[in-house]
Each structure stands twice: as C-alpha cells, then as structure tokens.
C-alpha cells in the first residue's frame, strides 16, 4: 500500500525524523453553523456532538487530556502532535486563538499542532498567529467537502469554494500545511462530481487530503432526508471506484491521510457497508493493485509518486 499511496505516516517521518502520533484534544471550540452565526442545525451531514474526544465536556482541560492520552506514544518515543479535532478551532476572535496556541505550546514535549477548522474561520491575522506557534510543524485540517457551490449550499456549509481556495493559499504562503477534507456521495453528487472536487484541490498548495464517504448519522439533517426517501447513499463499489480514481489524480507529495469515514459507535444509520472500515480499505487496496494504480498516475509519470512542490518546511 505504501508503494502506491503517500501516507501521513510517511509525511510525518519526513518532518520529524521518526514516527509521530496525533493526540486528539478537545478545546471546547464552537462552529458558526452551530452557535447561530450562520445556523444552529450544523451541516446537513453533521452530528450534534462533532468529532473528537469530548473530554472538554467532561471537565478535562488541555493539559489533563494531554497527560492522559500521550503515555503510550511517549513509551514508543514518538513525536507528539496535538490534534484539535472537534468543531472549528480557529472560530472566534483572534485573542481566543492566541490564548489557545499559547496554552498548547506549554504541553510537555509537543512537537506539532494540527487544528480542524473551516475556511471562513481563517484570516491573515489568525494564520500569522499559527505560523508563529513555537512548535516544529503546524497543520490545518480544513473542510471543503465539495468544490461545487450548489452542493455547498445544499448541505448548508455556509462558505464557498472560493473561500477555501483563498484560505489554503494564505495558509500555505505562511508555511502552514493544509489538509483538505473531501466527501464522496453528497446529496446530488456522484463519482464524477467527487473527482471534480479532487482536481480542484489538487491544483491548490495542499499537503494532504482526507477522503470520506458520506454517512447518514443519527441526529443529522441528512438522517431526516434519508428517512423521507430524499437521499440514497453511494454504493460501496462506487465509493471504492471514486477513491481509487482520486488517488490517481493526486500529486505524489499530497499525503492521503484517510481513505474512508470512521463512524462513531452507535451513530451510523446508513449505508450499512460503512461500518466495515477494514473491509473497505481492503477493497481499495485490491483495486489499486488489480488496476496498477499509483498515486498521481493519471497526471503523468513526472508528477506521480515523486515529491513535487510540497510546502516548504517551517523553520
């Protein structure tokens, strides 16, 4: 698999000189699609709890979470990367982000920082704060989902494709690595629509992608739409095809950090096949092998698995 796809593990080893571990932390962040700034219902596909540990709600501060979760990685002498996953971690005033970065920088042995966010929650001031963080590597996981603005309106994202491009370029210019989140099987979209999104992000200065199949999860707007017969999830075979064709379109320096969604226990309503994470990964690997697909092969041999034009390392 590593010969055919450039992984995050490989990218992190190039940055840190050894294996790295992302430590999921919950900073109690919010989202403009949750607090009423844009809406209160969230994106159509989103569950109310978001992603991540949920430890903030249980009274654990960042230092307590860090101490609780880093011990196994410390024993293996892995580089420690603080991963703020839940909701939009750059949302709110710049003073909040500055305080958050300052607190994270005090975590023992931290070497990297990864923040999940949205393109409309970034500006030059916030990017400058992140670029100045006293850690060796800063990564932004930025949700795009689709490069079709009609789809973005349909799923209630509240930002545009242009917002994503602008934020990605600003972040890359400041020396930050950007990972794009993309979804296949969104309402009104098929495989070719997803591949158009892949082509769009591949032309931007991204460092990684996370590929997700669209899940119908309990409590989401998509769950109600699905129940009413207004949405049919993508078939497993179509998703495997979409991922393999996407890998062929991605430049070799882009880390493919995820190949399918990972539903939380008890939240998945449909499709049933999405619960078989390892099976889906096996199907993808088998198709890559069977069709002799390597990352970037559809771009031509000069931009295949050879690193071409990644963002410059931060000093």
């Amino acid at each position: 698999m590593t010969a055919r796809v450039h992984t995050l593990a490989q990218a992190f080893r190039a940055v840190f000189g050894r294996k790295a571990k992302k430590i999921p932390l919950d900073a109690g962040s919010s989202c403009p699609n949750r607090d009423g700034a844009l809406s209160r219902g969230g994106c159509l596909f989103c569950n109310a709890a978001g992603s991540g540990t949920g430890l903030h709600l249980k009274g654990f501060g960042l230092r307590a979470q860090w101490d609780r979760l880093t011990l196994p990685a410390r024993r293996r002498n892995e580089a420690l990367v603080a991963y703020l996953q839940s909701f939009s971690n750059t949302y709110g005033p710049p003073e909040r982000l500055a305080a958050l970065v300052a607190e994270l920088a005090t975590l023992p042995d931290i070497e990297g920082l990864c923040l999940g966010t949205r393109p409309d929650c970034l500006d030059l001031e916030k990017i400058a704060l992140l670029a100045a963080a006293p850690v060796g590597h800063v990564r932004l996981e930025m949700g795009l989902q689709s490069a079709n603005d009609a789809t973005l309106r349909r799923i209630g994202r509240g930002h545009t494709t242009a917002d994503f491009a602008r934020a990605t370029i600003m972040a890359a210019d400041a020396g930050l690595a950007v990972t794009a989140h993309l979804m296949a099987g969104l309402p009104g979209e098929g495989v070719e629509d997803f591949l158009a999104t892949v082509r769009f992000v591949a032309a931007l200065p991204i460092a990684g992608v996370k590929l997700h199949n669209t899940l119908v999860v309990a409590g989401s707007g998509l769950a109600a739409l699905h129940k009413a017969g207004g949405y049919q999830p993508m078939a497993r075979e179509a998703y495997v095809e979409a991922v393999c064709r996407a890998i062929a379109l991605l430049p070799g320096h882009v880390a493919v950090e995820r190949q399918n969604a990972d539903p939380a226990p008890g939240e998945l309503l449909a499709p049933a096949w999405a619960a078989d994470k390892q099976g889906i990964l096996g199907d993808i690997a088998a198709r890559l092998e069977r069709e002799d697909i390597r990352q970037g092969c559809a771009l031509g041999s000069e931009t295949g698995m050879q690193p071409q034009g990644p963002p410059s390392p931060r000093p």
Side-chain angles (χ1 to χ4, degrees):
M1 196 65 179
T2 55
R4 296 187 178 275
V5 181
H6 179 49
T7 66
L8 181 62
Q10 292 169 324
F12 272 173
R13 191 171 288 276
V15 170
F16 300 109
R18 66 192 196 281
K19 187 175 181 180
K21 177 67 175 179
K22 290 169 70 176
I23 307 300
L25 304 177
D26 186 346
S29 299
S30 185
C31 175
N33 256 358
R34 288 288 179 188
D35 71 357
L38 292 173
S39 73
R40 294 193 180 276
C43 300
L44 188 68
F45 55 82
C46 191
N47 65 22
S51 301
T53 64
L55 289 174
H56 175 81
L57 296 177
K58 297 178 182 178
F60 288 86
L62 290 176
R63 175 60 188 270
Q65 294 177 49
W66 183 258
D67 291 344
R68 174 188 177 118
L69 297 171
T70 55
L71 186 57
R74 288 175 184 277
R75 288 172 175 165
R76 296 188 295 264
N77 191 34
E78 295 172 349
L80 302 177
V81 179
Y83 178 29
L84 275 63
Q85 182 178 9
S86 297
F87 297 113
S88 302
N89 289 280
T90 63
Y91 180 45
E95 293 78 13
R96 178 189 182 273
L97 181 61
L100 181 58
V101 170
E103 183 177 3
L104 290 164
T106 68
L107 297 176
D109 303 317
I110 184 174
E111 295 188 46
L113 177 59
C114 179
L115 294 92
T117 192
R118 297 163 48 98
D120 54 344
C121 295
L122 287 164
D123 55 31
L124 285 173
E125 183 176 4
K126 291 177 181 178
I127 286 171
L129 283 170
L130 292 168
V135 296
H137 180 73
V138 178
R139 202 172 195 92
L140 289 172
E141 290 201 8
M142 206 178 337
L144 171 62
Q145 319 314 348
S146 172
N148 186 320
D149 282 335
T151 300
L152 296 181
R153 290 191 295 271
R154 190 179 302 124
I155 63 176
R157 282 294 292 176
H159 65 76
T160 66
T161 302
D163 291 332
F164 180 89
R166 184 165 47 248
T168 298
I169 292 168
M170 286 192 304
D173 285 349
L176 307 181
V178 175
T179 295
H181 284 232
L182 314 179
M183 295 178 69
L186 288 165
E189 292 201 349
V191 171
E192 296 303 326
D193 301 287
F194 174 67
L195 296 176
T197 295
V198 173
R199 292 186 184 95
F200 173 80
V201 299
L204 292 171
I206 60 168
V209 295
K210 283 189 171 182
L211 309 178
H212 304 77
N213 45 305
T214 301
L215 305 178
V216 180
V217 299
S220 68
L222 194 58
L225 186 64
H226 178 256
K227 184 177 181 180
Y231 172 71
Q232 181 64 36
M234 180 176 275
R236 178 172 178 151
E237 295 77 13
Y239 183 72
V240 171
E241 175 195 352
V243 171
C244 291
R245 292 177 64 186
I247 287 169
L249 289 168
L250 290 168
H253 72 270
V254 175
V256 181
E257 302 182 24
R258 179 174 290 169
Q259 296 182 19
N260 61 334
D262 193 8
E267 75 170 0
L268 181 66
L269 299 178
W273 60 261
D276 183 20
K277 179 178 181 178
Q278 294 306 315
I280 299 164
L281 291 174
D283 289 350
I284 293 169
R287 183 163 182 153
L288 292 174
E289 186 71 27
R290 183 172 66 252
E291 300 186 9
D292 194 24
I293 296 171
R294 286 180 169 78
Q295 186 170 332
C297 66
L299 302 175
S301 59
E302 73 279 1
T303 55
M305 287 298 292
Q306 299 300 315
Q308 297 284 329
S312 301
R314 299 174 77 243

